[in-house]
Coordinates of all heavy atoms in Angstrom, one line a residue:
M1 N 20.0 15.0 14.8 CA 21.0 15.0 15.9 C 20.6 16.0 17.0 O 20.2 17.1 16.7 CB 22.4 15.2 15.3 CG 23.5 15.3 16.4 SD 25.1 15.5 15.7 CE 25.3 14.1 14.8
N2 N 20.8 15.6 18.2 CA 20.5 16.5 19.3 C 21.4 17.7 19.2 O 22.6 17.6 19.0 CB 20.7 15.8 20.7 CG 20.2 16.6 21.8 OD1 20.7 17.7 22.1 ND2 19.2 16.1 22.5
N9 N 35.3 21.0 15.8 CA 35.6 21.7 14.6 C 36.2 20.8 13.5 O 35.9 20.9 12.3 CB 36.5 22.9 14.8 CG 35.7 24.0 15.6 OD1 34.5 24.0 15.6 ND2 36.5 25.0 16.1
E22 N 44.6 37.4 -3.4 CA 44.4 38.8 -3.3 C 45.2 39.5 -4.5 O 46.1 39.0 -5.0 CB 44.9 39.3 -2.0 CG 44.1 38.7 -0.8 CD 44.5 39.3 0.5 OE1 45.4 40.2 0.5 OE2 43.9 38.9 1.5
F40 N 25.0 38.7 -2.5 CA 23.7 39.4 -2.5 C 22.7 38.3 -2.1 O 22.7 37.2 -2.6 CB 23.4 40.1 -3.8 CG 24.4 41.1 -4.2 CD1 25.3 40.8 -5.2 CD2 24.4 42.4 -3.7 CE1 26.2 41.7 -5.6 CE2 25.3 43.3 -4.1 CZ 26.2 43.0 -5.0
E66 N 20.7 30.9 7.7 CA 21.1 29.6 7.0 C 20.1 29.2 5.9 O 20.5 28.4 5.0 CB 21.2 28.5 8.0 CG 19.9 28.3 8.8 CD 20.1 27.1 9.9 OE1 20.7 26.1 9.5 OE2 19.7 27.3 11.0
R69 N 18.5 32.0 0.3 CA 19.1 31.6 -1.0 C 19.8 32.9 -1.5 O 19.2 33.9 -1.8 CB 18.0 31.2 -1.9 CG 17.2 29.9 -1.4 CD 16.2 29.5 -2.4 NE 15.4 28.3 -1.8 CZ 14.5 27.7 -2.5 NH1 14.2 28.0 -3.7 NH2 13.9 26.6 -1.9
E82 N 45.8 50.5 -20.6 CA 45.1 50.1 -21.8 C 44.0 49.1 -21.5 O 44.0 48.4 -20.5 CB 46.1 49.4 -22.8 CG 47.2 50.3 -23.2 CD 46.7 51.5 -24.0 OE1 45.7 51.4 -24.7 OE2 47.4 52.5 -24.0
L93 N 35.9 28.3 -7.1 CA 35.4 28.9 -5.9 C 35.3 27.9 -4.8 O 34.7 26.8 -5.1 CB 34.0 29.6 -6.2 CG 33.4 30.4 -5.1 CD1 34.2 31.7 -4.9 CD2 31.9 30.7 -5.4
A123 N 33.4 18.5 -1.2 CA 34.7 19.1 -1.0 C 34.6 20.6 -0.8 O 35.5 21.3 -0.4 CB 35.6 18.9 -2.2
V149 N 27.1 32.4 -8.8 CA 27.1 31.1 -8.2 C 26.0 31.1 -7.1 O 26.0 31.9 -6.2 CB 28.4 30.8 -7.5 CG1 28.4 29.4 -6.9 CG2 29.5 30.9 -8.5
H150 N 25.0 30.2 -7.3 CA 23.8 30.2 -6.4 C 24.0 29.2 -5.3 O 24.4 28.1 -5.5 CB 22.5 29.8 -7.2 CG 22.1 30.8 -8.3 ND1 21.1 31.8 -8.1 CD2 22.7 31.1 -9.5 CE1 21.0 32.5 -9.1 NE2 21.9 32.2 -10.0
A178 N 36.7 31.4 -0.9 CA 38.1 31.5 -1.4 C 38.0 31.2 -2.9 O 37.2 30.5 -3.5 CB 38.9 30.5 -0.7
F242 N 18.2 30.4 24.3 CA 17.8 30.5 22.9 C 16.3 30.8 22.7 O 16.0 31.4 21.7 CB 18.2 29.2 22.2 CG 19.7 29.1 21.9 CD1 20.6 28.6 22.8 CD2 20.2 29.5 20.7 CE1 21.9 28.5 22.6 CE2 21.5 29.5 20.4 CZ 22.4 29.0 21.3
A250 N 13.8 37.2 29.5 CA 12.7 36.4 29.9 C 12.0 35.8 28.7 O 11.9 36.5 27.7 CB 11.7 37.3 30.7
V251 N 11.6 34.6 28.8 CA 10.9 34.0 27.7 C 9.4 34.3 27.8 O 8.7 33.7 28.7 CB 11.1 32.4 27.7 CG1 10.4 31.8 26.5 CG2 12.6 32.1 27.7
I260 N 5.5 32.2 16.6 CA 4.3 31.9 15.9 C 4.3 32.5 14.5 O 3.8 31.9 13.5 CB 3.0 32.4 16.7 CG1 2.8 31.6 17.9 CG2 1.8 32.4 15.8 CD1 2.6 30.1 17.6
D292 N 33.0 32.7 17.2 CA 33.6 32.8 18.5 C 33.4 34.1 19.2 O 34.1 34.4 20.2 CB 35.2 32.5 18.4 CG 35.5 31.2 17.8 OD1 34.7 30.2 18.1 OD2 36.4 31.1 17.0
F313 N -3.3 43.8 18.7 CA -4.3 43.0 18.0 C -4.7 43.8 16.8 O -5.3 44.9 16.9 CB -5.5 42.7 18.8 CG -5.4 41.6 19.7 CD1 -5.1 41.7 21.1 CD2 -5.5 40.3 19.2 CE1 -5.0 40.6 21.9 CE2 -5.4 39.2 20.1 CZ -5.1 39.4 21.4
V320 N -12.6 34.4 10.5 CA -13.1 33.3 11.2 C -12.4 32.0 10.7 O -12.1 31.9 9.5 CB -14.6 33.2 11.0 CG1 -15.1 31.9 11.7 CG2 -15.3 34.4 11.6
M348 N -9.0 26.4 29.0 CA -8.2 27.6 28.9 C -9.0 28.7 28.1 O -9.6 28.4 27.1 CB -6.9 27.3 28.1 CG -6.0 28.5 27.9 SD -4.8 28.2 26.7 CE -4.1 26.6 27.3
E374 N -8.2 29.6 37.1 CA -7.2 30.3 37.8 C -6.5 31.3 36.8 O -6.1 30.9 35.7 CB -6.1 29.4 38.3 CG -5.0 30.1 39.1 CD -3.9 29.2 39.6 OE1 -4.2 27.9 39.5 OE2 -2.9 29.6 40.1
E378 N -2.1 38.5 33.0 CA -2.9 39.7 32.6 C -1.9 40.8 32.0 O -0.9 41.1 32.7 CB -3.6 40.3 33.8 CG -4.6 41.4 33.4 CD -5.4 41.9 34.6 OE1 -4.9 42.8 35.3 OE2 -6.5 41.4 34.8

Side-chain angles (χ1 to χ4, degrees):
M1 179 178 294
N2 190 297
N9 288 344
E22 297 186 357
F40 302 100
E66 59 181 315
R69 300 181 181 184
E82 300 294 331
L93 184 70
V149 182
H150 293 260
F242 281 89
V251 183
I260 290 301
D292 299 323
F313 276 101
V320 175
M348 181 192 306
E374 180 180 352
E378 186 176 85

